Every structure is written in C-alpha cells, then in structure tokens.
Amino acid sequence: MTFKGLGQWSQTTLESSVPTKKKILIQLDCDDHASVFDGVVAIDAGVDHLFQYSGVRPPEVRGLIHGAMFTRGPADLHSTAIFVGGSDVSIGHEIASAARSVLFDPFRVSIMFDSNGCNSTAAAAVLSAAKHVELASGKSLVLAATGAVGQAVCTLITSLGGQVIVGSRSVARAEETIEKLGHLGVPIAGLAPLGIEDESSLRIALQEATAVFACGAAGVELLSSDLLSAGVNLRAAIDLNAVPPAGLFGIGVTDKSLQRGNRFDYGALGVGGLKMKIHKHAIQQLFTGNNHFIDAHEMMKIGRSILSA
Amino acid sequence: MTFKGLGQWSQTTLESSVPTKKKILIQLDCDDHASVFDGVVAIDAGVDHLFQYSGVRPPEVRGLIHGAMFTRGPADLHSTAIFVGGSDVSIGHEIASAARSVLFDPFRVSIMFDSNGCNSTAAAAVLSAAKHVELASGKSLVLAATGAVGQAVCTLITSLGGQVIVGSRSVARAEETIEKLGHLGVPIAGLAPLGIEDESSLRIALQEATAVFACGAAGVELLSSDLLSAGVNLRAAIDLNAVPPAGLFGIGVTDKSLQRGNRFDYGALGVGGLKMKIHKHAIQQLFTGNNHFIDAHEMMKIGRSILSA
Amino acid sequence: MTFKGLGQWSQTTLESSVPTKKKILIQLDCDDHASVFDGVVAIDAGVDHLFQYSGVRPPEVRGLIHGAMFTRGPADLHSTAIFVGGSDVSIGHEIASAARSVLFDPFRVSIMFDSNGCNSTAAAAVLSAAKHVELASGKSLVLAATGAVGQAVCTLITSLGGQVIVGSRSVARAEETIEKLGHLGVPIAGLAPLGIEDESSLRIALQEATAVFACGAAGVELLSSDLLSAGVNLRAAIDLNAVPPAGLFGIGVTDKSLQRGNRFDYGALGVGGLKMKIHKHAIQQLFTGNNHFIDAHEMMKIGRSILSA
C-alpha cells in the first residue's frame, strides 16, 4: 500500500464534476513482447488506452496492481482493468492469482485471465458442443487434455456436472492433469484418466462419449477415420486444430455445426467466431464494474448470453 | 542533432492548417515496468497518447529527447512533454538533468520530474503544514529526511526561508544528506543535522519545532506518544506513512487538518488528495508551454494556486 | 497460423454494424527503446493507437504479425499496419522481410519500412535533386554511399535509370556495397565503385557528375572547397549532414534550392521538410489498404505526388 495512492480516496468527491474516465486496460503479458492479438482485440472492444507490459513476472504484479488501484477513486475504478495474457498459461495463472490477492475493498479493479486465449477458446468449444448434446448428463472425451485449452475444457464440462474422460498420450499424464486440476479447486469426481495409446480403452471411451474435443498441437491427428467412426454415440465433435492435418479425421477447419450422420462437427474456424466474440464481450464486461474476475467460467456465461441474444 | 529532425523546422509554416496536435506524454521510467500509477494519472490529466518507456538509463536519454524535439515544429512542441518517474529518485534526477541538457532553442519540450511521486508528495506535505504555521519564520523538524520525500521537504522549506532540523537515525547520515542537498544547489544555511537516536537532542528539537514531518518507511514509528507530546510548540504534524503503525504516534492515516490541542494533524490520506491534484495539474501545465521544468518548487506553486482557487 | 485468429474470418460479416475500426500502428523497432521520433510522427499522421515494440528481433516477427493478421476480419485489416524502424537498418530489413513473408491472402496488413528514416530521407534527397537535374540521363555521385541512406539513394537513382558513382573511402567498400545491393535485387549495371581517397579518380567523377549527394556521418567534411569546385557540371548538391562542418564545403544546413553558380544546393534542413511530409503521408497511405509495402521506391512516389500537389 503506497501513500500516494491512498490519498486519492479522500478526494474522490471533489472530482465528481470530471466526466467519465477513459477506459484503461493494463495488459500484463509474460512474453518478451506483449501479444499484438490481445492488444488489437482490446482496442476493438472499446478500450481507450492500452498499457502494454511485457515480460511480467508474478513478483512484479503487486506494484503494478497498486498503481491501478490507487490512482482513481473507487467510484471510477470500473474504468481501469487488468488483462492477463501471454503464451505461458501457468505463469498467467500465477499473475492472475497474485493480482487478485492484492486487491481489497474498496480499491478493486476487474481482471480478465485469458493467457494464450485458452479460456475464451475453451468456452467457445464447450458452448458449441452444448448446442447439440446435453453435456451435463453425458460423457465427454477430451483429447490432448493436458494443454491449457484442454484443461479449461475439462474444467468447464465438469462444472456443468458432466463426466469427462481426460485423454492424454499416457494415462500417467492424464492422471497428473486431473491431480493438477484438483489442486486448482476443480471438483474431480467426474474426471477419469485415459491413455489414448491404449487403443482398446480409447475405443471404449469413444463408444461411451457423446461429445469429443480435440485440443492438441497444430498438425497432429488425434483420431483416425477408423477411430472416429467408433464414436457411435457422438453428437458433437470439436477440433481446435487449425492447421492440416485435422486433429479429428475429416473435420474441416471451417466446419461449423456441419452435420455428418448424427454428429455435428466444428473446426477451429467454426469455433473461432464465437471465441472472438466472447473475448471482446469479456473485455467490455471488465468495465461494467470494478470487481469482476473473468475466467473460463465467466466466459462461458458471457458466451451463453451471446448465443441467446 | 539528427538530420531528420531538424528538417521539421523549415516546414512548420507549411503545416499551419493542421489542427491542434495531440498531447503526447513520454514517460521515462527507470524501473523494469514503467509506473502504472503515473500512467493512469497522465491519462486522467488529459494526455491523448502516452508513450511508456521502461528501464530507461541516463545515457539513453539524449536519443529519446531528440525524438521529442525534432518531430514537431517549435510552434507545436508544447503538445509534446516528458515525465521522469520510477522508483529510483537518483536515477530519475540524472535522467531529468540529462533531458534538460539536451534541449536548446527553439526545440524545447516541457519536463516534469516526480520520481516515485516524491516531489508532488513533498509539495503537498509542506503546503498542508503551511496552512497552520508560518514555515518561513519557524523551525521544522523533518524525520527520515534522508529519503527522497524527506529531502524534497527540506528543500522546499528552506526555499521558503525556513529553518529545518534534518533528522535521521544517525547524525552522520543527516550531515551527508545536507551535504548532498548542497551539491544539488540547495542553500543549506538553514539546515541543521539531527541524529534522532540521541533522545535528548531529539527532545530539544521537538520543543523548538513548530512543524514536524515524518517521511519514513511504511510501518515504522518515528515518534512515540511520549516524544510527540514533547513538541509543545508544534502547530502542524504531517505523517506520510500510510501503513500502521503510524510514523507519528496517534495520527490517523485519514487525518486531514484534525486539531489535537494546538496542533493540526495530517495522515497520508489527508495529504494525498492534494498530492494527486498537484500531480494532475502539473501534467496539465506541461502542455501550456514548451519550456517548463516542473520540479518540487514548481509543484509548490501549483499546489498554492490549487489551494487559493 | 493460430486457431484463435482464424476464427475471426468467419465472423466478419456478423460485425458489419461496427463502425470504422481504430487505426492501429504496430511499431517494430530493434532498439532498446522504440523511436520516439517515429512514434510522434505516427500520431501526427492520424494513428489512433500506437503499439510500440522495442528490442524486436527477426525470429519474433512471425508471432507479432500473426497477432495483427488474425484479429480483425479481412475487410478491416486496412486499419492495422506495421512500421519497421530502429537504428539498425540491416535488422530492420530482416524484420520487414520476415513480416512480409508471414502474410497471405486475405489476411494482409500494410507494412512501412523506414529504419532510421533512411528511406524517407533518401527519397526526399533524390526528389530534391531531381527538381534541377535529369537524374535518369545523368551521372550522380553518392558520397558515403555505404551507409543506409547512401544505399537507398543509389537504389533510387538506379531505379530511375540513372548512373551512379558509388563513393566510399576505399574502393573495396564501394564494391562491397554494390554487391550487397545486387543481392537485394537492385539492378547494378549502372553502379560504378569509387574510392574517394584516390583524389584523381574523385576529380574525374566530380567532373562527370551532374548531381552529388553527401550521405556521411555528422561533422565529417567529404568534399573540400577545392574539390567541390571541380564539379563543373553539377546542377544539384545535396548535403545530408546537419552538424557542422558541412559534408560539402560551403553548403548551409538550411540551404533549400539555393543557387550557387549553376548549382542548386540543399542542406539537411532543406531536404528535411520534404522528408517529414513523405514520412507522414506514407503512414497515412498504410491505412488506405491492407496490401501496401512502403519502402524507398514507394516513398519516392509519395514524395513525387506531394511535390506535384
């Protein structure tokens, strides 16, 4: 807590004649160069001034957040917000947690956490599948679930009450991921590990699943034609890989609710439009209050309201 | 002096039809991440575009300032200005000096120097005390005077003609501070050193002082209840410590001209409102000309005009 | 190609009701601190939001450019553009090339390459000379042609069809420069090397030349009074050195089309006004399409249209 900031509190009323404050977004990014992508989306979402911070590390967060908390009076703090991004989702998580822990009443600013776009992407993927299948009562298979997007997809489906088969190359890595999610407070009762190199287990999982999500690295095929066709109960297949070959055989990058038999397919582009809207709306929502913390769950809510609008 | 910049001079008249230039503030900050605090204040003061430079070192200043000097014609240079900040006041001082030394007629831009908020804070503290006591004719006791804010308080009071007891833990450090101020051109005839661990000297100082300023680190009590009550002639007590315990026993962080006996007390919050106003007005003043150098003295003038408005 | 970006494509039509996008310029600068000069010019050219990236290296360009390509729909990409600057022209060249190679239809953004102002300066210098002499049919002498501005001057004159004597201290360095330009795709048939320490060769070159350009370092005299007077056929002399002594003896920094005998002289200031206008117009042109690549040649065209306006 710094002296200079706190003083602002006492003068808030004196400045009530000042017009609405400019919307300032403080982009905290762990990469050497703060994301251009996140910057452009911020501007398109209506941010007036973007402060880009590159190479941010968790111990530096306190001072940066204090600077955001203590400059404007509480009544104006909804016009200052934090965006946590960058390609390393673990560091992003630490930054976002550090930022939250610094805040106290009434000096709060809203925070959005979307490192590498993982949360907005996961929310868009889950909502796309949910158009075609009741995820809460079914079983979803998440492939390459160990990555940031995969983890967020698992988290969102389990929060809906759905069961999730957490797929990774080895069952050990799948188990680690579940453990990690547990440590983050995700209820893990509905999560079951799967090593997809065990093909018979994978076939069983595919037969049980009503939705499948491929969250793997670009250009890696996760399910062949033969395996995908084993998914007789699949009603939705979401492939988040934008670079050929497809993660799920036969799904095109632009597929968007494309019906193949009983299954509705989405490629990366088919999900991406909703992802972008969620990202932008989330930025806009930051500035509707000074107490938002927008993570994957909040982005789900935002996506749902976009879809129902 | 670069070729590309000088050329602008010759075309100034050609562009007289261009509307008012946008206000650009160039934030030169020595920290790894330029201050969020200073950035937000700049925006709230009406800056149109903020260029934030982090990790700035004195040798790099020349090129940065040339870029500011040589892009707009002299008639438009009042719309470009420099803010020198960051947590290291010594480096800030070097940066500010380097920046000033680069300027020449007619290619000048205004500069504000407020590393770590020390100058605006000191100005607000001195002006707050000055509401209740004639600092010019009295003796002020400055505790933890070795720090950036303390030094600025000493400088301002001595520039008013007042006497200052420069307090530090050891008298040696107090003497060093006075010497340092002398090197910076501050008239030191009115400054006397005090080692506050010598309690009898401290008590004498307290008896003589009509104002006391506590400029210490957060959470360090500089005067106990017993010692403070020895200040029988104190008319103003300013405690710039915002984190409990108070630097001056019994002074609350939100005290603002709170009378206790013959003494008027200010806590960090009580001074902070004026500090913020001085900071903002100083930013605004930068853009009223291309030849301002706004340091602690100028911030005093700004604060005085705010108080008399 | 990232998933998150591509998704935008599919939603472009959905957002057609959004008003014109803000103009975002992404400044990629190889220096520790992105150029203030280039930043201010960008703002004065009407850029709404400037993203300054310092210390950019070629391998980092791909991710930064992807962020620019994949956030706005193709119909809006003319409102996002790239400026490549910084004091190291070689790195700038690599950055600009890397940026171009990443682009593909329809996800293109315009790029301007003007590291250290070399291209805009060269264009202004060549156009200034061209007011007085037919460069295409004559022979130009370029002194200190090995530097960034010198190379660009050689390139521009040869592209007009003119002959160029490429002057350097040693003939070997002049030959290297010609070779280097050849590798960059410049037609080198019209380029002849000259080591200016060989005074008899220099005198011959001066007698043949109808225009001379001094592109040397600040404060270095390249032609003495005696040598310059050997240039009996010179119709234009351009000295880009802004710091005394002049690069060409007797030419004043503010000379602008100043006639001395049969020769029209320009100093750095005399060229600089046009250089600044070219720079600004080039920035503005970036935002008129999403497929511009503005290098020295394009800046020549821009300068020509400014002069004929």
Side-chain angles (χ1 to χ4, degrees):
Chain A
M1 193 183 314
T2 62
F3 153 65
K4 59 185 176 180
L6 287 169
Q8 171 67 6
W9 194 15
S10 55
Q11 71 160 346
T12 306
T13 49
L14 293 165
E15 300 214 347
S16 56
S17 62
V18 171
T20 314
K21 289 283 193 288
K22 298 283 187 185
K23 280 179 267 182
I24 296 176
L25 186 68
I26 300 160
Q27 183 182 359
L28 303 184
D29 192 301
C30 60
D31 293 337
D32 285 348
H33 300 296
S35 164
V36 168
F37 186 96
D38 293 336
V40 175
V41 177
I43 299 305
D44 287 351
V47 164
D48 294 310
H49 293 276
L50 178 68
F51 294 1
Q52 297 190 296
Y53 289 89
S54 300
V56 176
R57 290 293 168 270
E60 301 163 345
V61 169
R62 193 166 177 267
L64 295 166
I65 299 297
H66 278 168
M69 293 164 67
F70 297 138
T71 31
R72 292 170 160 182
D76 290 319
L77 282 180
H78 64 279
S79 297
T80 306
I82 310 294
F83 178 90
V84 178
S87 60
D88 189 317
V89 178
S90 297
I91 295 180
H93 193 88
E94 284 181 64
I95 289 173
S97 299
R100 290 186 85 179
S101 72
V102 173
L103 304 174
F104 58 83
D105 285 325
F107 298 102
R108 297 188 173 276
V109 291
S110 290
I111 300 174
M112 173 171 172
F113 168 40
D114 197 21
S115 288
N116 219 18
C118 67
N119 289 332
S120 48
T121 300
V126 170
L127 286 168
S128 296
K131 288 182 189 171
H132 309 287
V133 57
E134 189 62 53
L135 296 172
S137 58
K139 192 173 271 191
S140 297
L141 172 58
V142 181
L143 299 169
T146 51
V149 174
Q151 287 182 34
V153 168
C154 293
T155 301
L156 290 174
I157 297 173
T158 202
S159 76
L160 295 172
Q163 292 197 288
V164 184
I165 304 165
V166 177
S168 179
R169 224 157 283 175
S170 76
V171 71
R173 291 205 57 212
E175 284 164 350
E176 275 169 37
T177 297
I178 293 174
E179 196 179 356
K180 188 174 169 184
L181 290 173
H183 287 310
L184 293 173
V186 177
I188 60 172
L191 302 177
L194 171 73
I196 68 171
E197 288 180 348
D198 172 358
E199 196 179 308
S200 61
S201 298
L202 176 57
R203 284 190 182 271
I204 293 170
L206 275 163
Q207 283 158 15
E208 294 176 350
T210 53
V212 62
F213 299 82
C215 310
V220 175
E221 187 183 84
L222 293 167
L223 291 185
S224 65
S225 169
D226 173 50
L227 281 166
L228 189 54
S229 63
V232 291
N233 291 307
L234 288 174
R235 293 293 168 271
I238 314 286
D239 184 0
L240 298 176
N241 172 21
V243 182
L248 303 178
F249 181 85
I251 294 193
V253 77
T254 58
D255 287 358
K256 185 177 177 181
S257 193
L258 186 70
Q259 189 163 7
R260 289 190 175 96
N262 290 323
R263 208 180 68 205
F264 291 85
D265 290 350
Y266 288 79
L269 287 190
V271 173
L274 179 57
K275 175 257 182 300
M276 284 294 290
K277 285 189 197 168
I278 291 173
H279 188 156
K280 274 189 211 176
H281 281 250
I283 297 279
Q284 286 161 348
Q285 189 164 308
L286 285 172
F287 296 98
T288 62
N290 73 329
N291 202 5
H292 296 296
F293 182 75
I294 303 183
D295 58 3
H297 297 287
E298 286 301 311
M299 289 184 219
M300 273 280 279
K301 287 186 203 161
I302 290 166
R304 211 174 268 134
S305 79
I306 290 169
L307 291 177
S308 67
Chain B
M1 192 183 314
T2 61
F3 153 64
K4 58 184 178 181
L6 287 168
Q8 170 68 5
W9 194 13
S10 56
Q11 69 158 347
T12 307
T13 49
L14 294 165
E15 301 214 348
S16 55
S17 61
V18 172
T20 315
K21 290 281 193 287
K22 297 284 187 184
K23 281 180 267 183
I24 296 176
L25 186 69
I26 299 159
Q27 183 182 0
L28 303 184
D29 192 302
C30 60
D31 293 337
D32 286 346
H33 300 295
S35 164
V36 168
F37 186 97
D38 292 336
V40 175
V41 176
I43 298 305
D44 286 351
V47 164
D48 294 309
H49 293 274
L50 177 69
F51 294 0
Q52 297 191 298
Y53 288 89
S54 301
V56 176
R57 290 295 169 269
E60 302 164 345
V61 168
R62 194 169 177 266
L64 295 166
I65 299 297
H66 277 169
M69 293 164 69
F70 298 138
T71 31
R72 292 171 159 182
D76 291 318
L77 282 179
H78 63 279
S79 298
T80 305
I82 310 294
F83 178 90
V84 178
S87 60
D88 189 316
V89 178
S90 298
I91 296 181
H93 192 89
E94 285 182 63
I95 290 174
S97 299
R100 290 185 84 179
S101 73
V102 173
L103 303 174
F104 58 83
D105 285 325
F107 299 102
R108 296 188 174 277
V109 290
S110 289
I111 300 173
M112 173 171 173
F113 168 40
D114 198 21
S115 289
N116 219 17
C118 66
N119 288 331
S120 47
T121 300
V126 170
L127 286 168
S128 296
K131 288 182 189 171
H132 310 285
V133 57
E134 189 63 54
L135 296 172
S137 59
K139 192 172 271 191
S140 298
L141 171 59
V142 181
L143 299 169
T146 50
V149 174
Q151 287 183 33
V153 168
C154 294
T155 302
L156 290 173
I157 297 174
T158 200
S159 76
L160 295 172
Q163 291 196 289
V164 183
I165 305 164
V166 177
S168 180
R169 224 156 283 175
S170 76
V171 71
R173 290 205 58 210
E175 285 164 348
E176 275 169 37
T177 297
I178 293 173
E179 197 179 355
K180 188 173 170 185
L181 290 172
H183 288 310
L184 292 173
V186 177
I188 60 172
L191 302 177
L194 171 73
I196 67 169
E197 288 182 346
D198 172 359
E199 196 179 309
S200 63
S201 298
L202 176 56
R203 284 189 181 273
I204 294 170
L206 276 163
Q207 282 158 16
E208 294 175 352
T210 53
V212 61
F213 299 81
C215 310
V220 176
E221 186 182 86
L222 293 166
L223 291 186
S224 64
S225 168
D226 173 52
L227 281 165
L228 189 53
S229 63
V232 291
N233 291 307
L234 287 176
R235 293 295 168 269
I238 315 285
D239 184 0
L240 299 176
N241 172 21
V243 182
L248 304 178
F249 181 85
I251 295 194
V253 77
T254 58
D255 287 359
K256 185 176 178 181
S257 193
L258 186 69
Q259 190 162 6
R260 289 192 175 94
N262 290 324
R263 210 180 66 205
F264 291 84
D265 291 349
Y266 289 78
L269 287 189
V271 173
L274 180 57
K275 176 258 182 295
M276 283 295 289
K277 284 188 197 168
I278 291 173
H279 187 156
K280 274 189 210 176
H281 281 251
I283 297 279
Q284 286 161 348
Q285 189 163 307
L286 285 173
F287 296 98
T288 62
N290 73 329
N291 203 6
H292 296 296
F293 181 76
I294 303 183
D295 59 3
H297 298 287
E298 287 300 310
M299 289 184 219
M300 273 280 279
K301 288 186 202 160
I302 290 167
R304 211 174 268 132
S305 79
I306 290 169
L307 291 176
S308 67
Chain C
M1 191 183 314
T2 61
F3 154 65
K4 59 184 177 181
L6 287 168
Q8 169 69 7
W9 194 11
S10 54
Q11 71 157 348
T12 307
T13 48
L14 294 165
E15 300 214 347
S16 57
S17 62
V18 172
T20 314
K21 289 283 194 288
K22 297 284 187 184
K23 280 180 268 183
I24 297 176
L25 186 68
I26 299 159
Q27 183 181 359
L28 304 184
D29 191 302
C30 60
D31 294 336
D32 286 347
H33 299 296
S35 164
V36 168
F37 186 97
D38 293 335
V40 175
V41 177
I43 298 305
D44 286 351
V47 164
D48 294 309
H49 293 275
L50 177 68
F51 294 1
Q52 296 191 296
Y53 288 89
S54 300
V56 176
R57 289 294 168 269
E60 302 164 345
V61 168
R62 194 167 176 265
L64 295 166
I65 299 297
H66 277 169
M69 293 164 67
F70 298 138
T71 31
R72 291 170 160 183
D76 291 319
L77 282 179
H78 64 278
S79 296
T80 306
I82 310 294
F83 179 90
V84 179
S87 62
D88 189 317
V89 178
S90 298
I91 295 180
H93 193 88
E94 284 182 64
I95 289 173
S97 299
R100 290 185 84 180
S101 72
V102 173
L103 303 174
F104 59 83
D105 284 324
F107 298 102
R108 296 187 172 277
V109 291
S110 289
I111 300 173
M112 173 171 172
F113 168 41
D114 197 22
S115 288
N116 219 18
C118 67
N119 288 330
S120 48
T121 300
V126 170
L127 286 167
S128 296
K131 288 182 188 170
H132 311 287
V133 57
E134 189 62 53
L135 296 171
S137 60
K139 194 173 266 189
S140 298
L141 172 59
V142 181
L143 299 169
T146 50
V149 174
Q151 287 183 34
V153 169
C154 293
T155 301
L156 291 174
I157 297 174
T158 202
S159 76
L160 296 171
Q163 291 197 289
V164 183
I165 304 164
V166 177
S168 180
R169 225 157 282 175
S170 76
V171 72
R173 290 206 58 210
E175 285 164 350
E176 275 169 36
T177 296
I178 294 173
E179 197 179 355
K180 188 174 170 184
L181 291 172
H183 288 310
L184 292 174
V186 177
I188 61 172
L191 302 176
L194 170 72
I196 68 170
E197 288 181 346
D198 172 359
E199 194 179 309
S200 62
S201 297
L202 176 56
R203 284 189 182 273
I204 294 170
L206 276 163
Q207 283 158 15
E208 294 175 351
T210 53
V212 62
F213 299 82
C215 311
V220 176
E221 186 182 85
L222 293 166
L223 291 185
S224 65
S225 168
D226 174 49
L227 280 165
L228 188 54
S229 63
V232 290
N233 290 307
L234 288 175
R235 293 294 168 269
I238 314 286
D239 184 1
L240 299 177
N241 173 21
V243 183
L248 304 177
F249 180 86
I251 294 192
V253 77
T254 59
D255 287 358
K256 185 177 177 179
S257 192
L258 186 70
Q259 190 162 6
R260 289 191 175 94
N262 290 324
R263 210 181 65 205
F264 291 84
D265 290 349
Y266 289 79
L269 287 190
V271 173
L274 179 57
K275 176 258 182 297
M276 283 296 287
K277 284 188 196 168
I278 291 173
H279 187 156
K280 274 190 210 176
H281 281 249
I283 297 279
Q284 286 160 349
Q285 190 163 307
L286 285 172
F287 296 98
T288 63
N290 73 329
N291 202 6
H292 295 296
F293 181 76
I294 303 183
D295 58 4
H297 298 288
E298 287 300 311
M299 290 184 217
M300 272 280 279
K301 288 186 203 161
I302 290 167
R304 210 174 268 133
S305 78
I306 290 169
L307 291 176
S308 67

